[in-house]
Amino acid sequence: MKILITGGLGYIGSHVTVLLLQKGYEVVSVDNLDNSSIDVLEGIEAITGKRPFFEALDVRDENQMTNLFDKHPNIDGVIHFAAYKAVGESVEKPLEYYENNVSGLVQVLKPVTRKAIPFIFSSSCTVYGQADKMPIDEDIPLKKAFSPYGNTKQIGEQIIADCCKAYQGFNAILLRYFNPIGAHSSAKIGEFPQGIPQNLIPFLTQTVIGKRETLKIFGSDYNTPDGTCIRDYIHVMDLAQAHIESLDYLIKSNNSEACEVYNVGTGKGVSVMEIVQTFEKVTGEKVHFEISKPRTGDVITAFADPKKINNRIGWKAQYSLEDSLMSAWNWEKQLKIL
Ligand code: NAD
Ligand code: UFG
């Protein structure tokens, strides 16, 4: 089976590519290298002994996309990762975000809906905003998004749902990721944050390795057991596995719902302080941190109810938080060597 991955050299796309190749799928990978490096292909090959077919292209370019589908007429499934993902940046550059995340999606959907190819979309728990109840299940009404990035995910979901209704035979799954962290156990692929990391785990590992001075914990007076924010941190390899199981399910099922949405999380809420403590315990390293003022736009608590994906697709997170943090640390350590 041949699977097209857009944004295939990015953080999540590269981990999904590894699993697909290991399971014997053929992978066509495209990426414009905006937020990744061609060297990721070496990492993928070192782990799997295989290389995906790769083309450096921009999914917004209709001609390039048409040529790609002409070159590969038998694509059995598409996983669409290509997008910008920095929440703060999206507030400063909304048009870039709408153009890439929304127009890019539309360009990908043109050939995909024409050929009714099963489609998996990278959505985010950011679509829920601050949910009124925990854990968050897929049925709670979506709130207004906090950022242009969040809007692009809500709009993207709506576009896909409309396409599923309009184009006979076109089915899709929307995966709402909670907080992906960690790296492949080989430490040959992982996340490359550009500039100063905005996310907790890369900032933490960069602090411990000495690239940053102090981890700022954004807020300690929240209404949570230890006062710090709570998230659902999911190992990137678990997330990768969720894509493969969702794709298999979509390809095999003759589903009548056409557009299904699933949370991808562990179901466990973990505070920022617990992350620091667990990291120190598993790595034996000390995290230099200070309490800082809350970050604008942060929701206080967000963790998934993953029952729907557990029960319908059969996927369940396997890795522990300890595994995730250890793999993130191993990845950081080898980056220092590079
Ligand atoms: P990433 O930036 O590491 O990967 C995205 C890849 O897409 C990059 O390699 C980039 O170069 C490429 N790309 C961007 N625009 C492109 C375009 N127009 N044409 C071709 N390639 C393009 O990000 P990631 O963490 O792997 O995220 C993948 C997807 O998952 C994104 O859609 C993101 O919004 C979504 N997501 C990520 C997270 C997270 O915390 N990492 C959480 C929820 C959802
Ligand atoms: N945090 C700190 N210090 C830091 C960075 C983060 O205390 O230096 C805290 C945040 O306040 C938050 C928690 O750590 O409480 C997690 O923050 P992240 O920035 O790592 O993750 P978010 O939950 O804010 O958002 C991330 C992605 C979004 C995505 C969302 C859900 O950035 O794109 O997960 O998948 F939508």
Side-chain angles (χ1 to χ4, degrees):
M1 253 197 289
K2 197 188 257 193
I3 309 300
L4 169 64
I5 307 235
T6 72
L9 299 190
Y11 174 42
I12 304 169
S14 57
H15 289 80
V16 171
T17 300
V18 161
L19 274 194
L20 283 170
L21 291 173
Q22 286 176 331
K23 286 172 194 286
Y25 292 84
E26 221 180 310
V27 177
V28 176
S29 170
V30 299
D31 200 301
N32 67 357
L33 302 172
D34 239 41
N35 197 33
S36 54
S37 153
I38 196 76
D39 297 341
V40 174
L41 285 172
E42 309 300 329
I44 292 171
E45 192 172 6
I47 298 168
T48 63
K50 298 178 194 168
R51 251 178 200 255
F53 172 89
F54 177 73
E55 205 162 307
L57 64 75
D58 194 303
V59 297
R60 288 166 289 185
D61 186 324
E62 194 165 358
N63 288 336
Q64 287 190 318
M65 288 305 285
T66 306
N67 289 341
L68 182 79
F69 278 88
D70 287 347
K71 223 184 281 173
H72 302 279
N74 304 321
I75 287 172
D76 299 292
V78 173
I79 309 181
H80 179 54
F81 293 109
Y84 294 146
K85 64 165 178 175
V87 177
E89 186 185 60
S90 77
V91 177
E92 283 149 33
K93 301 178 178 171
L95 290 180
E96 273 94 329
Y97 273 69
Y98 288 115
E99 209 216 2
N100 202 26
N101 296 10
V102 179
S103 305
L105 170 66
V106 170
Q107 289 307 345
V108 174
L109 283 172
K110 285 180 187 170
V112 167
T113 52
R114 230 178 0 251
K115 291 165 164 262
I117 304 173
F119 186 75
I120 308 277
F121 178 62
S122 295
S123 190
S124 166
C125 70
T126 199
V127 299
Y128 293 116
Q130 178 60 74
D132 293 329
K133 71 174 180 71
M134 291 296 141
I136 302 173
D137 66 39
E138 292 83 350
D139 294 329
I140 62 172
L142 301 191
K143 294 241 182 99
K144 191 175 159 0
F146 275 35
S147 65
Y149 169 75
N151 277 333
T152 68
K153 293 297 174 189
Q154 288 190 347
I155 295 166
E157 289 195 357
Q158 192 54 59
I159 291 172
I160 296 163
D162 289 343
C163 288
C164 288
K165 278 190 212 128
Y167 304 112
Q168 175 119 39
F170 173 62
N171 290 345
I173 285 182
L174 318 175
L175 294 179
R176 292 180 181 156
Y177 316 156
F178 280 67
N179 289 54
I181 60 166
H184 189 267
S185 58
S186 65
K188 292 190 187 307
I189 54 169
E191 187 175 14
F192 283 107
Q194 303 279 316
I196 300 173
Q198 304 300 307
N199 296 119
L200 177 63
I201 305 304
F203 202 104
L204 185 157
T205 56
Q206 288 197 5
T207 304
V208 177
I209 207 98
K211 288 184 193 159
R212 314 269 156 219
E213 261 181 27
T214 308
L215 169 72
K216 288 193 167 77
I217 294 186
F218 298 137
S220 63
D221 290 326
Y222 286 112
N223 185 18
T224 62
D226 65 20
T228 64
C229 288
I230 291 178
R231 296 287 184 276
D232 185 336
Y233 296 93
I234 173 169
H235 195 300
V236 68
M237 291 307 292
D238 269 333
L239 180 59
Q241 180 66 22
H243 286 79
I244 290 166
E245 293 185 24
S246 301
L247 190 65
D248 282 348
Y249 166 88
L250 192 58
I251 290 172
K252 281 185 202 129
S253 71
N254 222 342
N255 84 48
S256 51
E257 268 184 56
C259 184
E260 295 188 19
V261 53
Y262 292 98
N263 286 337
V264 194
T266 66
K268 291 188 204 91
V270 175
S271 74
V272 178
M273 201 53 92
E274 285 171 315
I275 288 283
V276 169
Q277 288 160 352
T278 310
F279 184 90
E280 289 185 336
K281 192 179 83 201
V282 293
T283 64
E285 302 286 339
K286 190 94 200 83
V287 180
H288 191 249
F289 70 86
E290 65 187 31
I291 303 296
S292 173
K293 60 181 189 333
R295 180 170 68 176
T296 313
D298 265 344
V299 300
I300 302 168
T301 299
F303 58 96
D305 178 344
K307 274 203 282 302
K308 188 175 172 195
I309 191 166
N310 296 164
N311 296 339
R312 277 211 208 165
I313 295 189
W315 171 89
K316 200 168 191 300
Q318 302 295 329
Y319 290 88
S320 65
L321 181 64
E322 284 79 0
D323 295 329
S324 302
L325 293 174
M326 198 63 217
S327 70
W329 179 231
N330 287 337
W331 167 245
E332 185 66 65
K333 283 193 291 187
Q334 69 76 42
L335 275 179
K336 198 183 178 193
I337 300 163
L338 283 180

